[in-house]
Amino acid sequence: MDVGAALAPLYDPLMRIVGWTRTQRGVLTGADGSILDVGCGPARLANGSHEHYVGVDRRMAMLSQGPGGTTLVCADAAALPFGDGTFDTVVSTALLGLCLPAERRPILREMARVCRGTLRILEPIAPLDPVRRAVALSRQPVRLEELRTAGWHVTCVGQDNFAGVYTLVCATPTVRPASNP
Ligand SMILES: C[S@@+](CC[C@H](N)C(=O)[O-])C[C@H]1O[C@@H](n2cnc3c(N)ncnc32)[C@H](O)[C@@H]1O
């Protein structure tokens, strides 16, 4: 049984109660152009945000909680069904920190491939003390070095959010997609 799928209807109400939904929106501050939200869950970043928003999640049960009229795609983040450099901005919140480094590597590479602009992630970043790691349910918080080896140039590391557990990190792909003729 997929526990994540079974709990999907509870996810959004719970995240609103604990204040995550408000914190999460901070990832969009300064984002522009077309946006891909990887591991979007119920796609709350789509609400009233940008015109060209696409959410991807591997759980249909999560996507079915999302707002109508939004482009939501059921796919694995390690094999994104989009061409190189499709999106101006790629965002991701509370996805990478839940994965182990071996799972994150192909996801980060795929994000770099489809991004022609900026990556903005809100994730638990190492080093993180055991209490904060437990709050984030993160066995291994993301190391900035992982972004670099996956093809990202880290451009900013923001202030800690959500009781110091999540940090906004921005990055640009080190290899730019060839521009269309
Ligand atoms: C903790 S939720 C975060 C949802 C949303 N981003 C937020 O901040 O509320 C993690 C989401 O990532 C999705 N997910 C986990 N691994 C994934 C993968 N490899 N590809 C696509 N989605 C994935 C899960 O289905 C879940 O909806």
Side-chain angles (χ1 to χ4, degrees):
M1 180 191 173
D2 181 353
V3 178
L7 296 177
L10 300 177
Y11 183 80
D12 188 38
L14 188 63
M15 291 304 111
R16 284 177 193 278
I17 290 167
V18 301
W20 172 250
T21 309
R22 200 175 50 247
T23 302
Q24 184 198 15
R25 295 200 67 77
V27 82
L28 289 178
T29 308
D32 55 11
S34 53
I35 292 185
L36 176 67
D37 182 2
V38 182
C40 65
R44 285 302 161 240
L45 293 178
N47 283 344
S49 67
H50 297 257
E51 216 176 311
H52 301 293
Y53 170 96
V54 176
V56 168
D57 202 284
R58 71 176 174 192
R59 284 204 176 88
M60 203 56 220
M62 275 290 196
L63 296 177
S64 65
Q65 311 296 317
T70 304
T71 307
L72 300 178
V73 179
C74 192
D76 197 298
L80 294 170
F82 309 107
D84 298 357
T86 302
F87 297 94
D88 294 304
T89 304
V90 173
V91 300
S92 195
T93 61
L95 163 68
L96 298 167
L98 296 175
C99 305
L100 290 171
E103 302 167 78
R104 287 200 281 261
R105 209 168 299 133
I107 294 176
L108 284 165
R109 285 209 192 102
E110 273 296 84
M111 289 173 167
R113 183 184 65 76
V114 302
C115 182
R116 60 171 172 254
T118 308
L119 173 74
R120 302 175 64 83
I121 59 171
L122 195 52
E123 296 289 350
I125 301 295
L128 206 62
D129 64 62
V131 173
R132 290 189 167 90
R133 239 170 36 206
V135 172
L137 304 176
S138 180
R139 284 173 286 173
Q140 293 191 34
V142 180
R143 287 179 299 107
L144 295 181
E145 190 52 33
E146 292 177 61
L147 270 78
R148 295 185 185 113
T149 53
W152 292 103
H153 169 64
V154 175
T155 55
C156 77
V157 180
Q159 301 222 320
D160 296 342
N161 287 282
F162 207 63
V165 175
Y166 288 83
T167 303
L168 174 71
V169 176
C170 308
T172 53
T174 47
V175 178
R176 295 277 172 191
S179 54
N180 292 326

